[in-house]
Amino acid sequence: MTPPPARRRRSGTNSAAPARNLPRRGTVRRAQAITTYGVGSLIAVDHESFVVSGLDGADGHWSRDEAPEIHERRLARLLDVHCFRLPPASDDTSRDGLRVRRFPLMHSCPECNELRRHRDFNPPPGRSVCGTCEADLVPSRFVIACEAGHLDEFPYWQWVHRTSQRGATTPGQCGGTLKLRSSGRTASLRSVLVSCTCGVSEVSMEGSFRRSALKDLGLRCRGTRPWLGSTTPAQNCGLTPRTLQRGSSAVWQPVLKSALSIPPWSDGRADPLAEHWGELRKLETRAEVEMCLRFAFKGESPVPIDEVMALLDAEREEDPAGETAPAFDRRYRALRNKEYERLSSGNDERERSRDEQFICENPVGDTAVLRPLGVTRPMLVKKLREVRALKAFTRLADPDAPIESNEVPLSDSELTWLPAMQVHGEGVFLRLDEDRLDAWEKAPAVAARVERMRTAHQQALEQRADDPSRVPPSPATPRMVLLHTLAHVLIDEWSLEAGYPAASLRERLYAADDMAGLLVYTATSDSAGSLGGLVAQGEPDRLDRAIRSAVHRAEWCSSDPLCVESEASGTAGTNLAACHACVLLPETSCEQNNILLDRALLVGTPEEPGLAFFASIVES
């Protein structure tokens, strides 16, 4: 077929090129290939729709020349891969980009109203038009998916013949042609009408989104995975699929994992060892390590043996289980614990090299001004690097669930790398005074209020789970909810005070029995990255003013008294005094999808002022 025409595209974006070199191209930003248009997602290019192809084969669908490697050893160990790869970026020399396949295949013609598979319209090569009417074809608005991650066409033939051909599941056996039109009377599904020229009664799409709609037709998921190509055999799934809008967020949700680069890994000196690290970590003695390095590099190692031994010691300290790897959630907690330790201690100037990507220092001012607030030892993170990897994806997933029970892998074959983005930024890290926090969280009123949230969250998780006995406990604790809400009000405050868009600031929570800290940072690939404005807010005097102002703002909400007196809010009652008018943030800024928030723990309520952790600010 005719190759895609040469077209000048902006640097830093991805080319979404249909498989088989159809001459239709679109562009997405590099970061979107991880968060929005990753493997298995649906993407609209002009008036056409495609599914992003999987990472099949030894080299995957990404050109190695256009998808450079990046390294973050701690995250690679967690996800059991050697390295990560940036999504391909388009520039004047790009030849490949992201590969996509046409999906859904069912299209309709707005002129003749026929509803067929795309190829049955006999479109000219490289175009998506009706071969008879020459009108642009419209991809099906509706698709079906199951909780196992499979994706398929909506069964229009079974839907329109559901009364006259009950039990028949072979499309086309009536000999008629499907038609799709809109009555235009309303904007609801009742006005979307499907018919067949065989004479069966015209039906609307109303009711097709019911959970049992396809089950009532006797349909089960066929296990189709269009992002892996037509050559991939269908799996026998058997789950009941659900109808979704093609552009719905429920069609595709990424499973993202991230890590901060901290010493001794943050200077990049260990990167040449990435492919050999699996073997190195199994060795115990220095002599064995030296022999392995000589064999791997055919001579002198690019990393001195002393540094290699130090790196091995650092990894074993973070994962004391060694070869018998602990559960994923335990390893992830260990990763966070090490970040908390490094953020708390900072890195000495002697540890820094020219390539150091983590610089964390004590502020210049006197931190004693923060003591009355219950805040202790803030740190200025002047330079940080975060790697965010696309581990898998889900369909029909609950965004509030802390686990992804039906993760769909990005490839049929075992991968030694995963798609990822690296972003650089800056931040402010602060901790709460442990003595004051212990006394506050033991208060009966505080414990009872958080227990209501924890119970609601736990019940919601168990109701959504196939096996309630396997559901982990809710992370809701008094210190976690307090830190989470404090991070939200600080992000709101700094978006006003320092001029950052709220969506460009992110939170990273460290809440456990031995941790009580939060990091607010910028980690974006645009101009709101490392300009020094956020770090300046961490100086004690400014931080004192910011916390006081943020807490005072949290005292009142434009939705009060409904907000502060709410018995339950948010998804399944997992929030209390929290709404879009006070503490909720853009989804990109929040680690917990805007659940487990309660500003009453910051400022109290009219009936229970003793709930406030920052009572000294509220009373002033």
Side-chain angles (χ1 to χ4, degrees):
M1 293 185 179
T2 307
R7 181 177 301 181
R8 185 177 180 85
R9 286 163 281 134
R10 292 176 297 172
S11 178
T13 59
N14 283 318
S15 170
R20 301 175 186 172
N21 286 332
L22 293 180
R24 307 293 275 169
R25 287 180 179 260
T27 56
V28 297
R29 294 191 302 275
R30 226 173 191 174
Q32 288 180 307
I34 303 296
T35 59
T36 310
Y37 300 122
V39 171
S41 66
L42 297 182
I43 178 173
V45 180
D46 295 332
H47 56 273
E48 301 179 69
S49 175
F50 303 94
V51 62
V52 180
S53 297
L55 304 177
D56 295 323
D59 293 339
H61 282 291
W62 290 4
S63 169
R64 288 183 180 269
D65 295 334
E66 298 179 22
E69 288 186 2
I70 58 175
H71 300 276
E72 170 45 52
R73 176 58 207 157
R74 298 168 64 248
L75 187 60
R77 181 182 64 86
L78 178 72
L79 300 178
D80 196 24
V81 294
H82 292 159
C83 65
F84 304 97
R85 286 191 177 274
L86 294 174
S90 292
D91 55 27
D92 293 338
T93 62
S94 175
R95 296 177 298 174
D96 204 0
L98 295 181
R99 295 297 185 92
V100 298
R101 293 180 169 91
R102 190 180 299 281
F103 187 86
L105 297 179
M106 293 297 291
H107 284 61
S108 61
C109 174
E111 296 293 333
C112 61
N113 294 330
E114 287 191 0
L115 178 64
R116 301 173 177 264
R117 292 173 71 88
H118 184 270
R119 66 171 179 263
D120 294 336
F121 283 99
N122 296 317
R127 299 184 63 195
S128 181
V129 298
C130 177
T132 303
C133 308
E134 296 189 355
D136 289 335
L137 296 176
V138 180
S140 170
R141 286 175 52 191
F142 311 106
V143 296
I144 62 175
C146 77
E147 293 181 354
H150 302 124
L151 187 66
D152 207 348
E153 307 278 347
F154 181 82
Y156 288 102
W157 191 90
Q158 290 89 341
W159 183 254
V160 75
H161 292 88
R162 64 182 185 270
T163 55
S164 60
Q165 302 272 348
R166 183 169 295 277
T169 59
T170 305
Q173 64 184 30
C174 66
T177 300
L178 293 176
K179 300 270 188 176
L180 179 70
R181 70 180 184 91
S182 174
S183 67
R185 294 179 180 177
T186 67
S188 67
L189 293 175
R190 186 178 301 178
S191 294
V192 181
L193 304 173
V194 185
S195 62
C196 183
T197 56
C198 71
V200 70
S201 300
E202 187 176 54
V203 298
S204 75
M205 291 294 293
E206 188 176 24
S208 60
F209 281 74
R210 289 185 296 109
R211 285 184 175 268
S212 61
L214 301 181
K215 182 179 180 180
D216 294 343
L217 294 179
L219 297 177
R220 297 292 181 182
C221 177
R222 300 186 301 162
T224 54
R225 299 176 293 176
W227 62 96
L228 296 181
S230 57
T231 57
T232 302
Q235 299 176 335
N236 293 323
C237 176
L239 295 177
T240 301
R242 285 176 50 191
T243 305
L244 299 170
Q245 290 269 15
R246 173 165 49 89
S248 169
S249 60
V251 171
W252 188 84
Q253 286 285 340
V255 179
L256 297 172
K257 298 299 178 183
S258 69
L260 301 181
S261 294
I262 61 174
W265 309 96
S266 50
D267 58 6
R269 289 178 58 83
D271 292 351
L273 304 175
E275 293 186 6
H276 311 287
W277 201 258
E279 292 296 325
L280 288 171
R281 69 191 308 267
K282 298 177 184 178
L283 306 178
E284 296 183 358
T285 66
R286 182 186 182 98
E288 291 175 330
V289 172
E290 283 183 312
M291 184 178 299
C292 180
L293 291 173
R294 282 198 301 269
F295 179 78
F297 294 99
K298 310 300 181 185
E300 185 177 354
S301 169
V303 183
I305 183 63
D306 290 338
E307 291 189 23
V308 176
M309 298 304 296
L311 292 170
L312 285 170
D313 290 341
E315 181 165 299
R316 287 165 183 156
E317 182 182 352
E318 187 167 334
D319 182 10
E323 294 183 27
T324 56
F328 182 87
D329 56 347
R330 179 181 166 189
R331 292 162 62 191
Y332 197 58
R333 285 196 299 271
L335 181 146
R336 286 296 183 101
N337 286 338
K338 281 298 176 183
E339 290 180 1
Y340 182 78
E341 291 177 13
R342 180 55 73 171
L343 287 166
S344 299
S345 60
N347 58 336
D348 192 275
E349 188 172 355
R350 292 171 298 177
E351 300 178 24
R352 302 178 198 163
S353 67
R354 185 181 63 180
D355 299 322
E356 179 62 56
Q357 296 172 321
F358 179 86
I359 298 178
C360 182
E361 299 177 344
N362 289 300
V364 176
D366 184 6
T367 59
V369 297
L370 299 171
R371 205 167 298 147
L373 306 181
V375 175
T376 180
R377 297 171 60 192
M379 300 294 286
L380 307 182
V381 187
K382 296 185 175 181
K383 190 176 182 181
L384 63 83
R385 170 183 179 256
E386 182 189 24
V387 175
R388 302 172 193 160
L390 177 63
K391 178 175 181 278
F393 65 89
T394 61
R395 303 198 196 278
L396 301 174
D398 174 18
D400 298 333
I403 58 173
E404 298 86 9
S405 57
N406 292 305
E407 294 182 359
V408 184
L410 307 181
S411 170
D412 254 351
S413 57
E414 185 176 350
L415 291 173
T416 60
W417 59 274
L418 287 173
M421 280 293 298
Q422 61 177 351
V423 286
H424 301 269
E426 61 188 13
V428 175
F429 175 72
L430 59 89
R431 284 159 291 174
L432 299 182
D433 181 81
E434 287 283 355
D435 294 335
R436 179 169 170 176
L437 184 61
D438 288 342
W440 172 83
E441 62 187 355
K442 290 177 182 177
V446 172
R449 190 170 178 91
V450 175
E451 180 62 22
R452 286 162 51 193
M453 301 171 64
R454 191 204 65 79
T455 301
H457 190 216
Q458 192 70 36
Q459 289 176 349
L461 295 177
E462 292 175 357
Q463 289 172 359
R464 296 164 184 147
D466 296 331
D467 183 3
S469 63
R470 296 180 59 245
V471 174
S474 168
T477 62
R479 69 173 58 195
M480 182 270 170
V481 178
L482 174 66
L483 286 165
H484 191 198
T485 311
L486 176 61
H488 277 228
V489 298
L490 276 176
I491 288 175
D492 275 335
E493 178 67 22
W494 282 332
S495 70
L496 297 172
E497 180 70 20
Y500 286 91
S504 71
L505 299 178
R506 294 168 62 91
E507 66 178 6
R508 198 167 180 88
L509 305 178
Y510 301 91
D513 293 340
D514 55 346
M515 297 191 296
L518 64 91
L519 172 67
V520 175
Y521 65 105
T522 65
T524 62
S525 55
D526 60 15
S527 58
S530 302
L531 300 178
L534 184 59
V535 167
Q537 304 303 315
E539 288 294 339
D541 290 339
R542 289 190 178 184
L543 184 58
D544 175 68
R545 291 196 299 269
I547 293 175
R548 291 179 183 276
S549 177
V551 171
H552 279 307
R553 288 180 189 276
E555 290 185 72
W556 295 100
C557 170
S558 59
S559 296
D560 281 341
L562 295 178
C563 178
V564 74
E565 295 178 357
S566 173
E567 294 294 324
S569 65
T571 305
T574 50
N575 288 335
L576 288 178
C579 69
H580 285 284
C582 50
V583 299
L584 298 192
L585 289 177
E587 292 182 0
T588 55
S589 301
C590 180
E591 279 195 323
Q592 298 289 336
N593 294 295
N594 276 327
I595 65 169
L596 306 180
L597 292 163
D598 183 16
R599 62 188 173 92
L601 299 185
L602 301 179
V603 300
T605 66
E607 293 77 16
E608 294 182 298
L611 291 171
F613 180 83
F614 294 102
S616 59
I617 298 178
V618 176
E619 294 168 359
S620 61

